[in-house]
Each structure stands twice: as structure tokens, then as C-alpha cells.
């Protein structure tokens, strides 16, 4: 038996944030019926390359364990079909522009079901920000993430994946599961609302709290950390390596391996706070030592001593590492090798029942 077996989700979402959430719930056993525009479907069906055969891998990445139904919400018949679907659903998920579902008479209030869990995801909320387009890149920019990412203040950089969408999808899962637990206890559903902007502000954790608690406005530091050193990328003979030294004990061990034990008692570097204050000098000294050997040598030498480090892998090497650690990073459905769900449950493990649906299904 799966954790969410028997839960039916009417999924009116598309693109990334909400489809990621419904896929995660589908992996946990929920029945997910994805509603798509006739003849066209989810926009990400055309977002390629890359492709798996003739299907965009973007769409395939977030739509397994779902069936698909084509419904034209602009027609009376389509809206009636949608209401029939919702009538047998426990959860509705949608991420249209705020007001769209209300126009169709399919918003939480119009449906009037006291036992329904209804999740709405938007870019900037349903109030004054309702008309703003909720694209991940835009939210990274106006939400402050790009201001702390990149080599310097005039070179803002986005993350290499639509991270705000993914984080919002995960927060949506938490909200939906909490609402289902409340319904189980009381019989009452509720409206679950999320927006990309406040999810990002919450997810910036220490950077956000530095502002709210101390008025500190963080700046980009490249690969460095504002509060820890050494905690950045270093050169080696063959490829970059990361050191993530989180305490003085680890730093002493690093200095011993690099044959510079005197650094551990140097007043500039003796404590973490000292090292943060003198991070440029520290970088130069450590870089000169690390350049003497390949990244793999340092990884194999420092890791057993409890010094966190590792080469900067590409995605292929990252999957190879996970496989070498027996973490099972992939799952196969029919002819597809998809990225595995990372949640491991001892009694109700995730399942991979359905490949991402083709539009004609």
C-alpha cells in the first residue's frame, strides 16, 4: 500500500512548480489526473531540445505517475467536464494566472465544497501582484536571489535550474499534505495558497534572516560563504575542487594534510571568524598547495579525515557518484530512465507506475 493510495488529485497545472508537486504526490501513491488544453497540452511538451525520441525531456521530468485528459475550459461543456472531475477529487491543484479559475467558476469559493483541499500557486499572490508574470527567472531577479549569486555586484547570475519553481513545488506538497491531515481529523478541506516570491524569501534562510534581524543586505560573493571559511572552490592540477570546512578541527586537519600546520595557529586563521576576515590571504595560501595534486587525490585523502571536499562534477559524474554510493538515483518506467524520487520510506515506498502521458492518451 502507498502512503497516498486512494487520494485523487485533479491537476490543472502546467510548466514546473505545480506539476513537480503533483508528480511527487503521485509517486507517493495519489491518483493524478492532469488536465491539458486540447491539441496543445502543457507548454513544456514543446520545450526542447533535449528530447527523448519525440518528447521533450522537460515535460517528462515532472509528469510521471499521471494520466492526462484534454478539457477545453473556455467552453461550457469543458467546464462541466472539469466539475465532474473535481467532484470525485480530494485535491485540486492549479497555477493559472490569479482570477482565471474564478472566471471559469472553478475557484475554491465557487466550487463550495467544504471537504476539498484546493491548492493555488501564483508568482506574486492573488492581490496587488496578481497581474505580474510568474516566471522563475523574473522571481530570482526581483526576489533577491540573483543579487547574492554571481562573482560581483554587476554580474548577477541565475541558478542553473529553475530553483524557485522546484522549491515552490516542494512547499506546495507540504501544504497539501498538512491540509489532508487536517481533513482526516476534521472532515474539512481548505485553500492552500503559495506564491513564488515569498517561497524564495523564505528559502534564502540565513541571507533573508540577516536582513530581517540585523538589517544586513547581502552581496554576491562568488563561491564564497559570508560566514564560513574556507568554504569555496579551489583550483587543482586537473579540475576545481570544493572545500567546505565548517569548524576549527576540520581546518587543523586540512592544514596538516597540506603540510602547513602553522596556519592553524596563525592569528589570521586560528578561528573561523579570523579566517572569514582574512579569506583572500587564506585562499592564496591554500590554492598554492592544492594546485600540486589532482582533485581526486584531495578527495580521497581529505574525506577519510572528515574534511568536507569534492570535485566539481558535471551531471554525468554526479549520477555516477550517486550510483557508486548505491543511492539509486534513477528509476525506469517502460523505455524511460527517469530521475528517482529522493524520498525513501521504509513501509510505504514511492512507486513508479505510469510513464509521463502522451497527449493523445
Amino acid at each position: 500500500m502507498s502512503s497516498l493510495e486512494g487520494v485523487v488529485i485533479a491537476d490543472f497545472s502546467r510548466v514546473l512548480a505545480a506539476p513537480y508537486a503533483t508528480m511527487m504526490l503521485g509517486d507517493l501513491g495519489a491518483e493524478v489526473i492532469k488536465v491539458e488544453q486540447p491539441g496543445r497540452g502543457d507548454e513544456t511538451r514543446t520545450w526542447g531540445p533535449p528530447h527523448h525520441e519525440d518528447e521533450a525531456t522537460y515535460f517528462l521530468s515532472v509528469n510521471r505517475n499521471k494520466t492526462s485528459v484534454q478539457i477545453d475550459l473556455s467552453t461550457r461543456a469543458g467546464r462541466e467536464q472539469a466539475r465532474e472531475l473535481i467532484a470525485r477529487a480530494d485535491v485540486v491543484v492549479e497555477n493559472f494566472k490569479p482570477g482565471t479559475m474564478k472566471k471559469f467558476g472553478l475557484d475554491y469559493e465557487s466550487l463550495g465544497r467544504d471537504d476539498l483541499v484546493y491548492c493555488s500557486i501564483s508568482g506574486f499572490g492573488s492581490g496587488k501582484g496578481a497581474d505580474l508574470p510568474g516566471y522563475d527567472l523574473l522571481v530570482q531577479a526581483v526576489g533577491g536571489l540573483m543579487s547574492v549569486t554571481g562573482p560581483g555586484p554587476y554580474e548577477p547570475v541565475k541558478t542553473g535550474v529553475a530553483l524557485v519553481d522546484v522549491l515552490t513545488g516542494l512547499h506546495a506538497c507540504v501544504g497539501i499534505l498538512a491540509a489532508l491531515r487536517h481533513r482526516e481529523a476534521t472532515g474539512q478541506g481548505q485553500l492552500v495558497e503559495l506564491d513564488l516570491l515569498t517561497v524564495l524569501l523564505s528559502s534564502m534562510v540565513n541571507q533573508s534572516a540577516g536582513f530581517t534581524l540585523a538589517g544586513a543586505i547581502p552581496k554576491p560573493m562568488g563561491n564564497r560563504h559570508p560566514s564560513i571559511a574556507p568554504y569555496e572552490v579551489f583550483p587543482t592540477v586537473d579540475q576545481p575542487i570544493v572545500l567546505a570546512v565548517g569548524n576549527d578541527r576540520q581546518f587543523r586537519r586540512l592544514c596538516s594534510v597540506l603540510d602547513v600546520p602553522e596556519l592553524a595557529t596563525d592569528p589570521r586563521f586560528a578561528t573561523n571568524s579570523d579566517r572569514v576576515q582574512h579569506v583572500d590571504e587564506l585562499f592564496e595560501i591554500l590554492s598554492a598547495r592544492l594546485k600540486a595534486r589532482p582533485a581526486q587525490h584531495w578527495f580521497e585523502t581529505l574525506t577519510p579525515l572528515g574534511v568536507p571536499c569534492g570535485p566539481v562534477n558535471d551531471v554525468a559524474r554526479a549520477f555516477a557518484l550517486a550510483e557508486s554510493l548505491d543511492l539509486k538515483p534513477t528509476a525506469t518506467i517502460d523505455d524511460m530512465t527517469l530521475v528517482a524520487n529522493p524520498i525513501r520510506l521504509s513501509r510505504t515506498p514511492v512507486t513508479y507506475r505510469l510513464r509521463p502521458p502522451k497527449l493523445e492518451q
Side-chain angles (χ1 to χ4, degrees):
M1 180 177 178
S2 298
S3 301
L4 297 182
E5 186 172 325
V7 173
V8 177
I9 299 175
D11 181 7
F12 290 82
S13 70
R14 67 267 187 272
V15 189
L16 181 53
Y20 186 82
T22 54
M23 180 183 73
M24 297 291 283
L25 297 170
D27 289 351
L28 293 170
E31 178 187 354
V32 181
I33 301 102
K34 183 178 179 70
V35 176
E36 299 192 71
Q37 184 176 347
R40 186 177 157 195
D42 190 313
E43 293 98 307
T44 61
R45 287 186 180 276
T46 64
W47 286 11
H51 292 89
H52 171 78
E53 297 178 354
D54 61 342
E55 297 177 88
T57 60
Y58 199 118
F59 174 84
L60 299 177
S61 71
V62 289
N63 283 292
R64 67 170 171 253
N65 283 333
K66 305 176 185 180
T67 56
S68 175
V69 58
Q70 298 181 58
I71 299 178
D72 186 351
L73 297 177
S74 68
T75 68
R76 180 177 297 179
R79 293 191 292 273
E80 182 58 35
Q81 187 180 357
R83 290 190 191 93
E84 291 174 359
L85 171 60
I86 292 170
R88 73 180 190 88
D90 302 284
V91 180
V92 170
V93 179
E94 64 91 12
N95 64 342
F96 287 111
K97 181 179 177 180
T100 300
M101 291 295 270
K102 183 176 181 63
K103 180 180 68 175
F104 296 143
L106 299 173
D107 59 305
Y108 178 69
E109 290 77 12
S110 297
L111 291 169
R113 267 187 56 193
D114 193 50
D115 65 336
L116 182 65
V117 173
Y118 192 108
C119 179
S120 288
I121 297 176
S122 64
F124 298 92
S126 58
K128 293 181 179 179
D131 290 332
L132 297 176
Y135 287 90
D136 185 279
L137 175 61
L138 175 62
V139 178
Q140 288 195 36
V142 302
L145 182 57
M146 290 177 69
S147 79
V148 299
T149 307
Y154 303 107
E155 301 172 86
V157 175
K158 71 176 182 66
T159 60
V161 70
L163 187 63
V164 185
D165 277 337
V166 174
L167 290 168
T168 303
L170 290 173
H171 281 76
C173 280
V174 174
I176 290 167
L177 292 173
L180 285 171
R181 176 66 185 90
H182 176 264
R183 191 185 76 158
E184 182 182 83
T186 68
Q188 294 178 320
Q190 60 186 298
L191 178 62
V192 180
E193 294 183 282
L194 299 102
D195 66 87
L196 273 63
L197 179 57
T198 56
V199 167
L200 173 57
L201 293 175
S202 171
S203 300
M204 289 173 68
V205 287
N206 61 301
Q207 299 283 41
S208 292
F211 170 71
T212 63
L213 295 171
I217 300 177
K219 303 297 183 184
M221 301 182 64
N223 291 309
R224 287 180 176 170
H225 193 285
S227 307
I228 309 173
Y231 197 98
E232 59 182 298
V233 178
F234 291 87
T236 70
V237 164
D238 56 351
Q239 70 180 104
I241 193 172
V242 160
L243 290 179
V245 177
N247 57 55
D248 297 339
R249 182 182 66 258
Q250 293 172 354
F251 184 66
R252 288 194 296 270
R253 291 174 180 173
L254 171 66
C255 294
S256 177
V257 170
L258 297 182
D259 200 26
V260 284
E262 66 276 9
L263 291 186
T265 56
D266 188 312
R268 297 171 297 170
F269 312 125
T271 69
N272 178 69
S273 295
D274 297 328
R275 294 191 291 275
V276 172
Q277 292 297 317
H278 298 90
V279 66
D280 290 330
E281 299 162 76
L282 182 61
F283 178 82
E284 293 302 324
I285 296 170
L286 297 182
S287 293
R289 294 286 174 167
L290 291 165
K291 287 178 182 177
R293 297 291 186 90
Q296 190 64 26
H297 167 81
W298 298 122
F299 176 64
E300 294 174 355
T301 304
L302 291 169
T303 299
L305 299 177
V307 179
C309 72
V312 179
N313 287 329
D314 60 20
V315 173
R317 288 179 175 175
F319 271 92
L321 173 62
E323 289 168 355
S324 73
L325 299 174
D326 198 28
L327 294 178
K328 299 178 175 58
T330 62
T332 302
I333 306 177
D334 296 339
D335 61 336
M336 292 182 178
T337 301
L338 297 168
V339 183
N341 188 311
I343 299 172
R344 291 186 284 275
L345 298 171
S346 63
R347 294 188 183 276
T348 55
V350 301
T351 57
Y352 305 99
R353 307 176 305 281
L354 300 170
R355 69 164 336 264
K358 293 191 175 183
L359 191 58
E360 66 268 23
Q361 289 181 313

